[in-house]
Amino acid sequence: MARASGQKLKLLYLAKILSEDTDEEHPITTPELIGRLESLGIHSERKSIYDDIACLQQFGYDILQIQSRQGGGYYMAGREFELAELKLLVDAVQSSRFITTRKSRELIGKLEKLASRHDAGKLRRQVHVVGRVKAENERVYYCIDALHRAIQGNRQITFRYLEWNENGQLEPRRQGRLYRVSPWELIWREENYYLLAWDEPAAMMKHYRVDKMDQVEEIPERRQGEEAYAGLDLAVYADRTFSMFGGREETVVLELLPGLAGVVLDRFGREVFLRREGENCLRARVTVAVSDQFYGWLTGLGRQIRIVSPRWVREEYCGRLRDILGQYLPEAQMPLKEDQAWKSQ
């Protein structure tokens, strides 16, 4: 009976051995297969191995045979994922800030099982390529699952929203009072996962970092904000909101050196209108959420770019610069004036 039951498992073990231990550079010979099966308590003969592999091929396994004087053998050729694809997935898991270090190792370990053990070693080396800051909220995976269920079920959710305190610990905002929103979309942007949701009291769409959400629960009430969501261009919303964070939306005209054309297009998209103004100057018209983050981006580019209009954005930016400089040089004066020197840089 033991031998009969072992024979029933024979095809499964053959498929497992070929999947885990072989690839084009590491075929396995028929005598080696017989030996591996014998170690599992399954008696095999050469002819039965041929028949079993033919059966697996007929079922759909892409098993190929190499003929060579060095011995040749069989290997699993076709897999769900190629090694290059698995490397991409491993790097995505490793680089994702919202996935904790421990969970990254678990997920990568599962991805390794989709390759042969020889290629799995190459994936393990990938893990150590880059060190990145990772999230610490292990509950994020259950949170994402709950959000998907609520979106699919057309239900509202409640949750607590967390923030870092001075001790480096996550604690609830608003003294732990629950947020209540209608979830509409999950967006991956700037290495983070965000929930796009309708806030009924504020009568507007808001976004929340998923790794800072806690105790997410679906409630029976149907979602609100459907009309606002239907009229939303998600690509445009993400470019304007996540790239420059929150703020009043405004069309801003910028002047910049030609060498910054790629920087502006990368930030705002290829639809940005660029026009040459003189020999060494470009003018760009962009729609942004005017905020401190937008001003910070401008400051990082220094004298190579400046705001032309609207005037209130230009003056507000100058005020921000005065405030910052005033912390170091209280007597500093920064008069508003036209400065063409930047064009000659």
Side-chain angles (χ1 to χ4, degrees):
M1 294 298 291
R3 174 172 293 186
S5 63
Q7 291 297 316
K8 291 180 180 179
L9 293 173
K10 185 180 176 185
L11 283 175
L12 296 176
Y13 277 122
L14 275 175
K16 186 173 187 291
I17 293 168
L18 289 165
S19 178
E20 293 181 355
D21 295 340
T22 70
D23 54 42
E24 187 173 4
E25 297 179 359
H26 303 88
I28 188 169
T29 64
T30 301
E32 288 172 333
L33 281 173
I34 293 174
R36 291 288 299 275
L37 290 171
E38 289 287 352
S39 69
L40 295 169
I42 301 173
H43 178 70
S44 301
E45 296 179 354
R46 183 179 292 270
K47 186 178 183 305
S48 69
I49 294 293
Y50 299 153
D51 293 340
D52 290 334
I53 288 179
C55 185
L56 289 172
Q57 290 170 328
Q58 185 178 359
F59 183 72
Y61 283 99
D62 188 11
I63 302 171
L64 298 183
Q65 184 179 18
I66 296 177
Q67 301 282 0
S68 74
R69 293 181 178 178
Q70 287 72 35
Y74 297 96
Y75 70 95
M76 187 72 73
R79 298 178 184 272
E80 289 296 323
F81 295 92
E82 296 178 8
L83 180 60
E85 295 171 330
L86 289 174
K87 286 182 177 180
L88 287 175
L89 292 174
V90 165
D91 193 52
V93 169
Q94 181 65 14
S95 63
S96 296
R97 295 180 60 182
F98 83 93
I99 303 179
T100 64
T101 300
R102 186 178 71 85
K103 194 64 176 180
S104 291
R105 293 195 186 103
E106 291 180 5
L107 291 174
I108 291 169
K110 293 177 181 179
L111 288 172
E112 289 175 0
K113 294 179 181 178
L114 298 175
S116 71
R117 62 182 176 85
H118 310 285
D119 285 340
K122 300 173 185 177
L123 295 177
R124 280 192 290 273
R125 286 195 292 273
Q126 287 287 108
V127 177
H128 304 290
V129 171
V130 199
R132 296 176 175 93
V133 176
K134 305 286 282 181
E136 296 186 8
N137 183 5
E138 286 283 347
R139 296 180 294 275
V140 65
Y141 321 105
Y142 307 106
C143 173
I144 292 172
D145 188 46
L147 292 174
H148 278 299
R149 289 199 308 269
I151 291 171
Q152 293 166 3
N154 196 31
R155 300 298 184 211
Q156 296 183 34
I157 61 168
T158 61
F159 62 94
R160 286 185 171 83
Y161 204 45
L162 310 177
E163 62 182 351
W164 293 104
N165 62 23
E166 64 274 14
N167 297 317
Q169 298 173 328
L170 285 170
E171 63 180 15
R173 287 185 180 179
R174 305 196 315 189
Q175 291 78 48
R177 295 196 305 275
L178 291 176
Y179 287 67
R180 176 173 168 172
V181 299
S182 298
W184 284 100
E185 195 77 41
L186 285 167
I187 301 174
W188 186 301
R189 188 75 179 192
E190 306 292 346
E191 299 188 8
N192 286 303
Y193 232 159
Y194 294 89
L195 170 70
L196 178 65
W198 176 259
D199 184 324
E200 180 61 24
M204 63 183 295
M205 284 288 182
K206 293 185 178 180
H207 59 272
Y208 305 88
R209 278 265 299 269
V210 173
D211 60 308
K212 292 186 177 181
M213 298 173 66
D214 190 29
Q215 298 180 24
V216 177
E217 292 189 10
E218 181 181 338
I219 58 177
E221 286 78 1
R222 295 177 65 83
R223 290 184 299 176
Q224 299 175 332
E226 182 175 2
E227 185 175 345
Y229 175 71
L232 199 63
D233 186 322
L234 287 177
V236 172
Y237 176 87
D239 284 338
R240 295 178 183 174
T241 305
F242 293 105
S243 294
M244 292 302 174
F245 297 83
R248 173 178 167 182
E249 190 173 289
E250 185 65 80
T251 298
V252 177
V253 178
L254 304 170
E255 281 189 349
L256 54 137
L257 297 180
L260 287 185
V263 174
V264 171
L265 292 173
D266 284 342
R267 172 59 67 176
F268 300 104
R270 293 185 176 274
E271 295 77 17
V272 170
F273 177 72
L274 287 172
R275 184 181 69 191
R276 183 167 288 277
E277 292 282 327
E279 183 178 349
N280 201 32
C281 175
L282 297 178
R283 182 165 286 197
R285 184 182 299 273
V286 299
T287 302
V288 301
V290 179
S291 63
D292 286 339
Q293 287 75 23
F294 169 61
Y295 295 143
W297 177 78
L298 285 172
T299 304
L301 298 176
R303 292 170 60 85
Q304 302 179 84
I305 191 168
R306 69 169 185 164
I307 300 170
V308 176
S309 66
R311 185 176 178 83
W312 76 265
V313 178
R314 176 185 172 91
E315 292 180 348
E316 185 175 85
Y317 178 47
C318 289
R320 294 288 198 280
L321 294 176
R322 286 196 199 91
D323 291 342
I324 294 170
L325 188 58
Q327 296 182 64
Y328 302 95
L329 301 172
E331 72 283 0
Q333 297 295 320
M334 296 178 60
L336 283 172
K337 64 179 181 179
E338 291 295 327
D339 182 3
Q340 297 297 325
W342 67 280
K343 293 185 182 180
S344 64
Q345 293 184 19

